[in-house]
Amino acid sequence: MSGRVMAVSSNGEYSFTKPNRDSIRLLAGLGVEGDVHAGVTVKHRSRVAQDPTQPNLRQVHLIHEELFAEVGGEGFKVAPGELGENITTRGIDLLGLPVGTLLHIGNSAVLEVTGLRNPCLQIDHFQDGLLKQVVGRDEAGNIVRKAGIMSIVREGGVVRPGDTIEMELPSGPHRPLDRV
C-alpha cells in the first residue's frame, strides 16, 4: 500500500498553523529543519513543562487529507498546514498503522511512526467546535483521535508535494497507536 504527499509545512516559531512550503528537509533524529518542534528532546510546550528531558517522539506530524473532507461535511474548512502538521498525505490509513511502521518518503527520507497526535483546545481556538470532530468516542466508549500521527526521523531527506510514500510494517505482533 502506498500514498502520496499532498503538502509540506513548517514554521520556525510557535504558531498553531504552519505555512505550506515547496519542500521540507527532514534531519535524522531531529525532525523538520527549521521547524520549532525539531529536536532530540520534547519541544511541545506542555511536554517541556512536564519534563524537558523526555525524548521527542513528535518530531514530524502527519495528517491525512481525507480528514479535511470529513470535517468539511460538518461545515468546517481546513487546508493543509492549518492543523499544525508537517506532512499532509493522501491514500494511506495513517490512523490504522501500528507503532513502528516505517514510512519511506520520496528518494531517501524514512519516518518511524510513534503514535497519535493528542488534539488539544487550540483546535477550537482555530475553529470553534472542530475539536469534537477530531476527537470523540466509539460505540464502546473508547477515545478516538483523528488529528493525525506523530513520527521520528530515521533517515533524512527532502520531502516535496507529489512524493510517494511507501509503508513498511514492523515484524512481530503489531501494537495499535496510542497518544504520544
Side-chain angles (χ1 to χ4, degrees):
M1 187 162 127
S2 64
R4 192 157 299 285
V5 174
M6 301 312 296
V8 294
S9 310
S10 67
N11 200 341
E13 50 190 66
Y14 283 103
S15 172
F16 183 69
T17 62
K18 294 185 180 192
N20 294 160
R21 309 287 183 192
D22 293 332
S23 66
I24 56 174
R25 180 176 301 280
L26 302 180
L27 304 174
L30 295 174
V32 178
E33 181 178 56
D35 192 82
V36 70
H37 295 112
V40 175
T41 57
V42 293
K43 300 300 175 198
H44 287 76
R45 290 176 174 168
S46 63
R47 305 295 166 104
V48 170
Q50 291 173 357
D51 177 3
T53 66
Q54 302 177 68
N56 188 2
L57 301 178
R58 301 165 56 98
Q59 294 174 356
V60 181
H61 176 200
L62 298 93
I63 283 186
H64 50 297
E65 183 183 61
E66 294 85 351
L67 177 66
F68 304 154
E70 182 182 328
V71 300
E74 298 297 324
F76 296 92
K77 186 174 187 308
V78 181
E82 289 186 334
L83 294 181
E85 77 275 11
N86 300 111
I87 300 175
T88 308
T89 69
R90 179 187 291 164
I92 295 177
D93 178 13
L94 294 176
L95 305 177
L97 297 174
V99 172
T101 299
L102 298 179
L103 301 174
H104 299 265
I105 306 175
N107 293 329
S108 61
V110 179
L111 298 177
E112 180 181 337
V113 175
T114 56
L116 295 168
R117 175 188 184 185
N118 192 29
C120 66
L121 280 176
Q122 287 185 8
I123 292 175
D124 269 349
H125 296 279
F126 172 66
Q127 287 185 42
D128 190 42
L130 184 57
L131 181 61
K132 287 184 180 180
Q133 300 300 312
V134 297
V135 65
R137 295 197 179 267
D138 64 15
E139 304 80 35
N142 300 309
I143 295 176
V144 176
R145 295 172 178 87
K146 300 181 192 177
I149 64 171
M150 307 308 285
S151 63
I152 57 174
V153 181
R154 287 292 178 207
E155 294 181 32
V158 174
V159 176
R160 295 177 178 84
D163 282 350
T164 59
I165 305 170
E166 299 292 334
M167 292 176 298
E168 181 182 341
L169 296 175
S171 59
H174 292 173
R175 288 187 358 227
L177 298 178
D178 199 1
R179 68 184 176 95
V180 293

